[in-house]
């Protein structure tokens, strides 16, 4: 899947560079600089596009350079199409290449907004009512911090302060806290930030597919066990197919990530995890990937909190996981029977530094039950 996506990005980028080289060659200032010979104009345009891609890649990484080139390509194609329709309507060609100017300006504005949506973290609130006599519970959830991409471990402390200001009863981390590009220093600083939280029931953590690392401890300088040790050092409780009771009324079920199944390390099923639970209590599941909704509904749990999708990341592909069946939901709240599912877009991103189909967020969930 990822090989197909990355291969498509690379091919699209190469074709985009060639197309854009020809578009840049149409500007009058290029003609004045290198003359009317098409080959010189094309080569000049090619150099310009490669320089733009190189500067972007140096500043934000190769994948973000590809994202910028592809957005410029698509927007330029649209502007060229609109320009031709207008010229046909007015029966006269434009004396200047307005389509190219518009394409560049629109792309800059669009991706600047996308950068801001990825790097600024909003607050999203849900209020869930239940007939169970459990009183109330305020949950702060975040996922997909990928520490080190859009903020450092030390900068993460400012987001933790925002979460603390919500006066949560519990804070839950639903996976991809770090990834293979998170340095040990950033990981340690981020864990220390979590250690500053003060809540009624504590801070709980469930693994995502990136947390344990795909390339081994040598690549980033620490293992999954090192991460657990640092979390626990800061009073964060790591749940791996485990159930804990919060007070007298709430179960918290932390699942191993779905990637464990895919790597031949089977995780417990929802049936196994809920077999001995009292249905009168309110049950909350932490499950990084939103891909087990049927089993979770059948198990009768009350709330499932997920991440992983990054809200779909980029428009118009922001619901691709849902459309292809890779994910049961890409973003937001859904209710099936008596089970509520919340998928957050996360507070950061993996590698890509733009969000054009959603925004970064942490989630506040107010569970409101009947009085005991």
């Amino acid at each position: 899947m990822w090989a197909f996506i990355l291969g498509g990005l690379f091919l699209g980028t190469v074709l985009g560079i060639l197309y854009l080289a020809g578009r840049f060659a149409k500007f009058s200032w290029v003609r004045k600089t290198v003359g009317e010979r098409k080959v010189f104009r094309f080569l000049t345009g090619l150099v310009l596009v490669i320089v733009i891609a190189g500067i972007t890649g140096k500043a934000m990484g190769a994948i973000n350079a590809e994202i910028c080139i592809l957005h410029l390509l698509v927007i330029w194609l649209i502007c060229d199409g609109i320009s031709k329709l207008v010229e046909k309507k007015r029966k006269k060609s434009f004396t200047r290449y307005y389509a190219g100017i518009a394409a560049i300006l629109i792309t800059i504005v669009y991706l600047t907004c996308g950068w801001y949506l990825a790097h600024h973290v909003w607050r999203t609130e849900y209020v869930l009512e239940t007939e169970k006599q459990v009183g109330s519970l305020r949950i702060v959830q975040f996922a997909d911090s990928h520490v080190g991409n859009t903020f450092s471990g030390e900068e993460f402390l400012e987001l933790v302060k925002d979460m603390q200001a919500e006066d949560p009863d519990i804070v839950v981390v639903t996976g991809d806290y770090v990834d293979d590009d998170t340095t040990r220093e950033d990981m340690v600083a981020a864990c220390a930030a979590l250690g500053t939280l003060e809540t009624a029931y504590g801070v709980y953590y469930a693994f995502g597919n990136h947390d344990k690392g795909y390339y081994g401890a040598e690549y980033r300088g620490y293992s999954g066990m090192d991460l657990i040790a640092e979390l626990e050092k800061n009073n964060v409780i790591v749940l791996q197919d485990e159930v804990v009771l919060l007070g007298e009324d709430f179960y918290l079920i932390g699942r191993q990530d779905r990637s464990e199944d895919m790597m031949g390390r089977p995780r417990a099923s929802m049936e196994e995890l809920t077999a001995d639970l009292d249905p009168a209590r309110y049950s909350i599941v932490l499950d990084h990937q939103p891909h087990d909704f049927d089993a979770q509904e059948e198990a009768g749990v009350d709330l499932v909190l997920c991440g992983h999708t990054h809200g779909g990341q980029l428009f118009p592909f922001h619901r691709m996981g849902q459309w292809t069946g890779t994910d049961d939901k890409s973003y937001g709240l859904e209710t099936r029977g008596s089970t509520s599912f919340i998928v957050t877009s996360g507070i950061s991103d993996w590698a890509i530094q733009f969000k054009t189909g959603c925004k970064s967020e942490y989630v506040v969930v107010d569970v409101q039950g009947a009085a005991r």
Side-chain angles (χ1 to χ4, degrees):
M1 179 67 174
W2 275 110
F4 175 78
I5 292 172
L6 294 174
L9 277 174
F10 178 76
L11 178 60
T13 301
V14 172
L15 294 176
I17 287 173
L18 295 175
Y19 177 82
L20 293 171
R23 298 299 94 187
F24 271 101
K26 293 185 66 175
F27 284 117
S28 58
W29 60 268
V30 174
R31 286 195 177 99
K32 291 177 182 178
T33 303
V34 300
E36 292 294 331
R37 292 190 64 178
K38 289 185 178 181
V39 64
F40 290 151
R41 284 161 44 202
F42 177 81
L43 290 174
T44 301
L46 183 61
V47 169
L48 287 170
V49 179
I50 291 174
V51 168
I52 291 170
I55 292 172
T56 306
K58 183 70 173 176
M60 293 188 290
I63 192 168
N64 289 291
E66 292 177 343
I67 294 296
C68 291
I69 291 296
L70 289 172
H71 276 84
L72 182 58
L73 168 64
V74 172
I75 291 171
W76 208 313
L77 283 167
I78 293 171
C79 288
D80 272 345
I82 292 173
S83 179
K84 289 196 177 297
L85 289 174
V86 173
E87 286 179 337
K88 186 176 181 181
K89 183 73 174 178
R90 69 197 294 259
K91 297 179 180 178
K92 185 179 179 181
S93 298
F94 291 115
T95 56
R96 294 185 177 180
Y97 191 24
Y98 292 112
I101 297 170
I104 293 170
L105 292 176
I106 291 170
T107 302
I108 291 172
V109 171
Y110 185 71
L111 289 179
T112 299
C113 291
W115 188 93
Y116 183 74
L117 289 171
H119 288 72
H120 182 78
V121 179
W122 278 261
R123 170 190 192 272
T124 301
E125 184 175 6
Y126 299 96
V127 177
L128 303 178
E129 296 183 351
T130 177
E131 295 179 356
K132 293 184 177 182
Q133 296 180 348
V134 294
S136 63
L137 184 74
R138 168 162 281 202
I139 307 164
V140 168
Q141 175 211 7
F142 74 90
D144 302 288
S145 46
H146 294 277
V147 175
N149 188 35
T150 61
F151 51 76
S152 68
E154 292 184 354
E155 290 168 336
F156 176 60
L157 178 60
E158 296 305 311
L159 295 173
V160 170
K161 290 177 181 178
D162 290 339
M163 297 179 206
Q164 181 66 72
E166 300 290 347
D167 193 23
D169 295 310
I170 182 174
V171 173
V172 297
V173 187
T174 49
D176 282 2
Y177 184 58
V178 296
D179 59 37
D180 284 288
D181 293 319
T182 304
T183 65
R184 185 181 185 90
E185 291 74 19
D186 274 338
M187 181 272 287
V188 170
C191 290
L194 285 182
T196 66
L197 286 164
E198 297 180 3
T199 69
Y201 297 116
V203 182
Y204 290 83
Y205 181 101
F207 277 104
N209 54 299
H210 282 278
D211 289 305
K212 295 179 180 179
Y214 282 108
Y215 306 125
E218 298 79 13
Y219 182 84
R220 62 182 183 180
Y222 59 94
S223 66
M225 292 304 296
D226 294 329
L227 172 60
I228 291 173
E230 203 62 39
L231 288 165
E232 291 179 343
K233 174 182 171 182
N234 288 281
N235 301 315
V236 178
I237 301 168
V238 179
L239 299 178
Q240 301 187 75
D241 284 343
E242 296 171 272
V243 182
V244 295
L245 182 62
L246 308 175
E248 298 181 2
D249 299 309
F250 295 91
Y251 289 118
L252 188 64
I253 305 165
R255 300 195 74 183
Q256 288 278 30
D257 184 61
R258 177 179 171 234
S259 59
E260 297 291 325
D261 272 335
M262 300 168 72
M263 293 178 182
R265 301 188 292 262
R267 62 174 179 168
S269 68
M270 285 306 304
E271 182 181 8
E272 291 169 328
L273 289 169
T274 59
D276 300 321
L277 302 191
D278 180 358
R281 292 183 168 123
Y282 192 94
S283 51
I284 304 160
V285 178
L286 311 181
D287 195 1
H288 177 63
Q289 299 192 45
H291 191 77
D292 202 21
F293 282 14
D294 288 342
Q296 288 158 343
E297 179 190 0
E298 186 176 345
V301 296
D302 297 285
L303 173 62
V304 180
L305 300 174
C306 305
H308 184 64
T309 66
H310 295 203
Q313 194 87 43
L314 299 173
F315 177 85
F317 306 108
H318 56 300
R319 297 293 179 267
M320 185 61 70
Q322 196 170 327
W323 297 334
T324 60
T326 304
D327 305 309
D328 289 328
K329 190 171 182 65
S330 296
Y331 176 75
L333 171 66
E334 179 176 332
T335 301
R336 298 187 182 185
S338 61
T339 305
S340 297
F341 300 87
I342 293 175
V343 182
T344 178
S345 60
I347 60 173
S348 184
D349 296 297
W350 169 75
I352 298 175
Q353 297 200 21
F354 302 97
K355 280 183 175 176
T356 59
C358 59
K359 60 186 180 183
S360 294
E361 66 178 12
Y362 67 84
V363 170
V364 180
V365 184
D366 281 310
V367 178
Q368 298 180 350
R372 298 190 65 175

